[in-house]
Amino acid sequence: MNPCHVCEEPTKNKCSNCNQVSYCSVQHQKQDWKRHKPSCHPFKIDHNEQLGRHLVATRTIKPYEIVLKEAPLVRGPAQISAPVCLGCLNGIEAEDHIECEQCGWPLCGPECKSLDEHKAECRLTKDRGQKVNVQEFGGPHPLYTCLSTVRCLLIGETSPEKASKFQELESLESTRRGSNQWKADLVSIGQFIPKFFKTQKFTEEEIMKAVGALQINGHEVPTTDPSHVAVFYTASFTENSCLPNLAKSFNKNGHCILWAPHEIKKNAHLSICYSDAVWGTADRQRHLMQTKLFKCACDRCVDVTELDTNYSAIKCEDRQCGGLMLPTKADDWNGSWRCRECHKQVQKHYVERILERAGKDIQSMEKNVENGLKYLKHYEKWLPPQHFHMSEIKILLVQLLAKDQKELMVIPDDRLLLKLNYARELVELYEKLTPCEVRTLGTLCFELHSAIAEQTRRVALETSLSPKDRLEESLFYVDKCVNYLQYESDIFIEGHMLKQARINRDALRMVTRIS
């Protein structure tokens, strides 16, 4: 028995959504809803010494359920950024912008001048006694390096409640201090802000702590062009896992949406991937250590086979063997590698030479079908079919082999089959390895659905056989596409794909019912 949240009478009844607050009656639950709504989530914030604060599911979370929708505490330009409008954060051109009459910072138009987000740096710059004069617009601009930090420092002037929440976030200042990144940030931000803005409002320690909090908790938000960085309070307490149970989407306002592509059991820890889940383990580990200052020990990271996909493996140096080479120790990707068949060992520099060359060839390659196929043929000598470099090229080929419906209807049969087989292989791989990479999975499912539908159309023209089974398979994958992309805004390509997928799904449902 727990006390009712309104009258404190003992009751067994709890809020069915969060499973944390009790009510003695429906009337009291309705009466308390306005107060309870902001904190009514299917999770609680827990704490232990190893993880610090983290989120734990308070009930079973259903597939496709939104777990959290949250506006940012603060947002601003990325640390490396060309000039952007300090209102909407979209890119601006030298010949197409206005200057704020108060501070001189470039804006894309008068409607952005009065936005609350610009007011903090506007006042600070005005107090400086001299307007900003931005002349170069063609690339990263040093003045923008500090602006998101400035917004973090001044958040209390616009919202004391947000400032209080921001102060709770981890900055790892003591861990970062003295590192090469910390030293670079000290010069470009910590020492630059007082000097440029001619202010003593902030101590060096306050500035560097804000820098750390921004880097540790910041999310890249792609709702602007270029992407900006934002800090979300509750979302900051999600754990990292390279095999997470939450997907992350953004609405057109830049609000974060965390949702469950699959069922999450009660008492499970809620997680997202702080890195890029489609990278191999060595790259993810390196990125996490450089940006978040920890080494991941999730189920995927401690398994060198990456769930038996051999996503980071290379082929044995002995061409007669046919085995695959992976790190000798699961926790040391910089040590020796050993073949799992003949047990031959090579040093890391042998592996690095192959992967570095393979990566550079992707970067420098003109992206077309013929070059993609040549790449796969060339690197099959060293890399297995599901290696992350090979998979990257296959994703490219799935999208390039018929880029729209018109091309799909005339593509040769062998190329259509190639598109279909690569898409099917990639969906199977990434549903196992990266089940929350919903944009990648949604796109692949759409491409696979389209290829199956087109192949079915061709078969139906040539035979009298019923295509119902194949149409149902096409419907199966377009249904998956809709589920994966359902929270994608129409400001993204995936959002437009979602609209088309829904149209195709409804048409296929009608056809399969008639067949």
Side-chain angles (χ1 to χ4, degrees), residues 353-362 375 379 383 389:
R353 282 202 306 271
I354 295 172
L355 297 183
E356 186 176 341
R357 187 170 70 247
K360 285 182 177 178
D361 282 351
I362 291 177
Y375 182 97
Y379 278 100
L383 306 178
H389 281 321

Side-chain angles (χ1 to χ4, degrees), residues 1-15 19-25 28-29 32 35-36:
M1 301 283 278
N2 296 291
C4 171
H5 208 228
V6 176
C7 68
E8 299 189 354
E9 282 294 315
T11 179
K12 292 181 180 179
N13 301 320
K14 287 187 175 182
C15 171
N19 204 32
Q20 296 183 82
V21 177
S22 300
Y23 295 102
C24 67
S25 65
H28 278 184
Q29 185 173 13
D32 192 51
R35 179 175 61 150
H36 177 51

Side-chain angles (χ1 to χ4, degrees), residues 257-294:
I257 303 170
L258 299 181
W259 61 281
H262 306 280
E263 182 181 270
I264 301 174
K265 297 293 187 183
K266 181 180 178 179
N267 295 324
H269 290 203
L270 303 184
S271 58
I272 61 174
C273 184
Y274 291 5
S275 187
D276 191 330
V278 301
W279 291 350
T281 296
D283 289 335
R284 294 194 318 277
Q285 292 277 17
R286 189 181 306 112
H287 176 255
L288 288 170
M289 185 58 71
Q290 289 175 349
T291 60
K292 309 299 182 184
L293 307 180
F294 73 89

Side-chain angles (χ1 to χ4, degrees), residues 103-145:
C103 63
W105 284 105
L107 301 164
C108 63
E111 66 278 4
C112 289
K113 183 170 55 176
S114 58
L115 293 178
D116 288 342
E117 290 168 307
H118 173 53
K119 290 179 180 177
E121 69 266 2
C122 185
R123 282 196 296 267
L124 189 65
T125 307
K126 186 179 178 182
D127 292 344
R128 172 178 179 255
Q130 183 180 356
K131 289 184 179 180
V132 168
N133 183 21
V134 176
Q135 296 292 327
E136 299 296 327
F137 290 81
H141 198 293
L143 285 183
Y144 286 77
T145 300

